[in-house]
Amino acid sequence: MYALPVLQTRSSPEAAVQRPRSVRLSLTDRCDLACIYCRPHRHDGYLDERLDLEAWQTMVRGLVTAGVRRVRLTGGEPLLHRDVVPVVRFLDTLGLDDVAVTTNATRLEKLAKPLRDAGLRRVNISLDSLDAGRFARMTRGGRLDVVLRGVDAALAAGFDEIKLNAVIVEDENDAELEDLVQWSWARGIVPRLLEVMAIGEGANLKDRVVTANEMRARLAHLLTSGEAEREKDRGPARYLLARHDATKKVGFITGTSDTYCKGCDRLRVASDGMLRPCLATNDGLSAASMARDGDANAVANAVADAWTMKPDGESFKGCTESSAADVSMRGIGG
Ligand code: SAM
């Protein structure tokens, strides 16, 4: 078992954003895949304790009291959590601005419709390769056919938006850049191409990063030129439109060549109830006991305390800092 350490301060005196507006809940740190840039193998240990449904409800109430307006369920693999549908149903009652899930889609064939019916609006699907052999290699044993059936189920369920997240690794899947984009566009899915970040196992792939600029150059024949634009309240991705169809676009997420920490309004909650103000450090504090006690106000106070620990985003350069290598993406909620 690994344990996430509790409290060290590397904070700026004043966080740039006054309070968190968006949160990622690592519903579970368990995952059925072991992507080469995320974890070393499938048996690298899980957290000892996890919040149950009731505690998650209190946690979310506290987060909303503290100002959070957008919630994304992630992990680990959030669809492995037995209560993922009730959690979404609960979130749907809160009048939030956004409720979304990031998933590897291995369980989406079964869960897409129940999740949609429970109020889920948007889904991000992580899929790095359309080649079954390469997919199995990059995920250490994942089955592409299962994931593709999950994608079809998501399309049939009628979500407001489906995005594809593909982490691009040099000499692994970089030859698939155009295929991933065209495949997504053909299905009304928004493709997003991610640089490998030096977080967790990604720290061992520093010499195989394909930068967003390189990806963009390779896709130049498909895309408009000019400045890639961020979408308001939609995270760090920057988008370029398709050259021949303004309804299509490609997103680039540059956690390595250009960190996007300034103005970050994101908090993460690990599956054991640890509040994590930054993806690139293990700093944080636990709100587990408050959540288990049903005390949403105490959770809200803990959120405010955790937020004072948020690095300033100017002197601290996010996932390019050495502390990122020690972070478990599964544990913190990638
Ligand atoms: N299991 C879910 C999934 O696969 O989407 C959610 C958790 S996963 C940690 C969330 C996202 O983080 C995925 O899109 C994954 O590809 C990405 N990710 C994990 N480690 C990364 C790294 N070192 N660099 C860039 N992206 C990474």
Side-chain angles (χ1 to χ4, degrees):
M1 295 287 169
Y2 68 88
L4 299 174
V6 181
L7 176 77
Q8 306 114 41
T9 29
R10 197 195 287 100
S11 58
S12 59
E14 272 184 289
V17 178
Q18 292 306 312
R19 55 187 189 163
R21 302 284 292 165
S22 104
V23 72
R24 294 190 157 219
L25 308 180
S26 176
L27 214 49
T28 173
D29 60 323
R30 289 176 56 223
C31 190
D32 49 353
L33 301 179
C35 298
I36 54 171
Y37 45 74
C38 188
R39 60 194 289 206
H41 45 76
R42 281 170 187 248
H43 309 288
D44 52 342
Y46 291 115
L47 291 169
D48 292 323
E49 291 184 55
R50 301 195 188 101
L51 301 184
D52 63 14
L53 175 60
E54 242 176 275
W56 273 119
Q57 290 175 340
T58 304
M59 181 69 80
V60 171
R61 279 198 196 94
L63 287 161
V64 171
T65 303
V68 164
R69 298 297 309 153
R70 299 186 301 279
V71 175
R72 176 172 293 278
L73 302 179
T74 178
E77 173 45 45
L79 272 49
L80 292 181
H81 194 287
R82 64 169 187 201
D83 289 323
V84 64
V85 174
V87 168
V88 168
R89 196 174 297 122
F90 171 72
L91 292 171
D92 190 48
T93 64
L94 299 177
L96 293 162
D97 295 341
D98 192 27
V99 177
V101 161
T102 299
T103 175
N104 62 25
T106 58
R107 304 207 66 217
L108 206 48
E109 182 179 18
K110 187 171 156 213
L111 287 171
K113 185 160 184 331
L115 286 168
R116 179 61 172 159
D117 291 346
L120 187 69
R121 302 170 211 174
R122 305 192 305 119
V123 181
N124 287 3
I125 294 172
S126 303
L127 173 55
D128 300 330
S129 175
L130 297 166
D131 175 274
R134 182 176 293 125
F135 181 80
R137 198 162 57 237
M138 289 187 78
T139 56
R140 296 196 180 92
R143 278 184 48 193
L144 181 65
D145 58 330
V146 173
V147 169
L148 295 183
R149 288 204 299 275
V151 173
D152 286 343
L155 289 166
F159 290 104
D160 296 354
E161 183 180 64
I162 302 177
K163 288 180 180 154
L164 175 136
N165 283 350
V167 178
I168 304 301
V169 183
E170 191 177 65
D171 292 336
E172 191 60 66
N173 62 344
D174 54 334
E176 284 192 67
L177 274 172
E178 179 164 349
D179 287 350
L180 287 162
V181 168
Q182 298 282 18
W183 183 89
S184 303
W185 281 350
R187 287 160 180 78
I189 296 173
V190 178
R192 303 187 327 157
L193 306 170
L194 282 72
E195 294 176 355
V196 178
M197 292 185 284
I199 176 169
E201 277 300 287
N204 298 324
L205 294 172
K206 280 184 184 160
D207 55 350
R208 294 174 71 189
V209 174
V210 182
T211 66
N213 279 343
E214 290 170 278
M215 296 185 217
R216 201 180 147 167
R218 293 197 213 174
L219 296 171
H221 56 294
L222 295 178
L223 301 174
T224 50
S225 50
E227 190 87 1
E229 302 282 352
R230 249 160 119 148
E231 295 179 342
K232 190 173 177 307
D233 292 340
R234 283 283 189 265
R238 291 177 194 275
Y239 292 90
L240 281 175
L241 296 181
R243 192 177 276 267
H244 301 296
D245 182 348
T247 66
K248 296 184 167 68
K249 59 189 174 184
V250 176
F252 297 92
I253 301 185
T254 57
T256 295
S257 68
D258 176 15
T259 58
Y260 36 75
C261 306
K262 209 174 158 205
C264 174
D265 67 355
R266 201 176 269 181
L267 179 75
R268 290 179 156 81
V269 185
S271 50
D272 60 355
M274 289 291 291
L275 306 175
R276 304 274 179 203
C278 175
L279 180 60
T281 86
N282 276 317
D283 293 358
L285 61 86
S286 177
S289 60
M290 300 98 164
R292 289 201 179 99
D293 290 348
D295 190 343
N297 286 330
V299 170
N301 290 335
V303 168
D305 288 345
W307 201 244
T308 66
M309 299 165 68
K310 193 164 182 73
D312 63 10
E314 289 200 58
S315 57
F316 186 82
K317 297 288 180 204
C319 291
T320 61
E321 300 284 345
S322 56
S323 58
D326 298 329
V327 173
S328 160
M329 195 77 151
R330 285 184 300 111
I332 202 168

